[in-house]
Amino acid sequence: MPLYLVHGFKWPRVPIVMHVISNGLEAASPGWIMSSRTSEVLVTDFRKRWPRLMAELPELHFVEQYDPVANVRAETQSDFAFVADQVKECGLSVDAAMLTRIAAPKKTEDSGALAGLRDVLAKEAEIGWWIVYNGDAEREDLGSGDDEEEEVYEVYEEDMEEEGEDNEKSEVRTGTIGRKAGIK
């Protein structure tokens, strides 16, 4: 059950789902972007879309907060994941002086490649240092089962309805997630 010290920003779950679906990233699981497979798919996609930004972010990471003790699925999947240019695993306890030494050299100002990536993924997100708990970093993708993908899709669909999108603009619903949710 590691704690992570993360320098980055929060990427909301609904835009994650929208990015995966609209860009045809069928091998990615928007419900668990920390998995090695999904991280690789997203980084590859980002390198194709934003090569200048990604040239300055050679060690981009995705970190999920997760509490395996929570007994209701809605409580276990966070509304966001972290996109980070620096991640340090902290263990069970954290030395405050160590945190200061690690965090001090890294600027938290909103400039540079990380800020550029934030601007295209989550414009309103704050870049900063976060301590993130993940009680099971090695767990399987949330998107590995039909029920989970259907639930993730339903969240996306509800968001689209709230934003007043009509069905013509929602044609991005095809692909693995849309098919498993019964969308044709």
Side-chain angles (χ1 to χ4, degrees):
M1 68 178 143
L3 285 175
Y4 297 98
L5 177 63
V6 174
H7 180 259
F9 61 90
K10 294 177 180 179
W11 188 13
R13 187 70 58 194
V14 171
I16 293 170
V17 173
M18 290 169 39
H19 182 87
V20 168
I21 293 172
S22 65
N23 294 300
L25 305 177
E26 292 184 8
S29 173
W32 189 250
I33 67 171
M34 189 172 181
S35 75
S36 57
R37 179 188 64 180
T38 298
S39 292
E40 182 180 325
V41 168
L42 288 172
V43 168
T44 300
D45 179 62
F46 291 2
R47 284 186 180 137
K48 288 178 187 171
R49 293 178 188 290
W50 307 294
R52 294 179 73 190
L53 292 175
M54 293 303 290
E56 296 179 41
L57 296 169
E59 295 295 321
L60 192 68
H61 304 274
F62 302 97
V63 178
E64 297 271 2
Q65 66 181 20
Y66 176 68
D67 182 3
V69 177
N71 59 3
V72 177
R73 178 177 154 41
E75 294 175 10
T76 62
Q77 181 177 340
S78 176
D79 292 338
F80 54 84
F82 291 89
V83 178
D85 63 351
Q86 188 170 352
V87 175
K88 303 280 185 194
E89 190 171 330
C90 299
L92 294 176
S93 62
V94 179
D95 175 8
M98 184 260 323
L99 289 178
T100 304
R101 285 191 305 273
I102 291 173
K106 192 74 173 172
K107 294 181 180 180
T108 59
E109 62 190 41
D110 288 352
S111 63
L114 187 62
L117 186 60
R118 183 269 325 263
D119 290 348
V120 296
L121 296 177
K123 180 97 174 132
E124 303 298 319
E126 176 185 338
I127 294 176
W129 287 98
W130 309 88
I131 297 175
V132 181
Y133 169 70
N134 185 310
D136 187 6
E138 300 300 320
R139 75 187 183 116
E140 292 184 29
D141 290 347
L142 282 176
S144 62
D146 289 351
D147 294 340
E148 289 84 1
E149 285 188 2
E150 191 169 313
E151 187 171 327
V152 168
Y153 177 79
E154 288 170 2
V155 169
Y156 170 72
E157 186 176 39
E158 288 170 10
D159 186 64
M160 294 294 286
E161 289 172 1
E162 288 174 12
E163 292 180 11
E165 295 287 336
D166 58 54
N167 288 336
E168 291 175 17
K169 291 183 181 178
S170 301
E171 290 301 319
V172 296
R173 295 179 183 171
T174 59
T176 303
I177 295 173
R179 282 195 300 271
K180 290 193 176 180
I183 308 298
K184 297 186 176 135

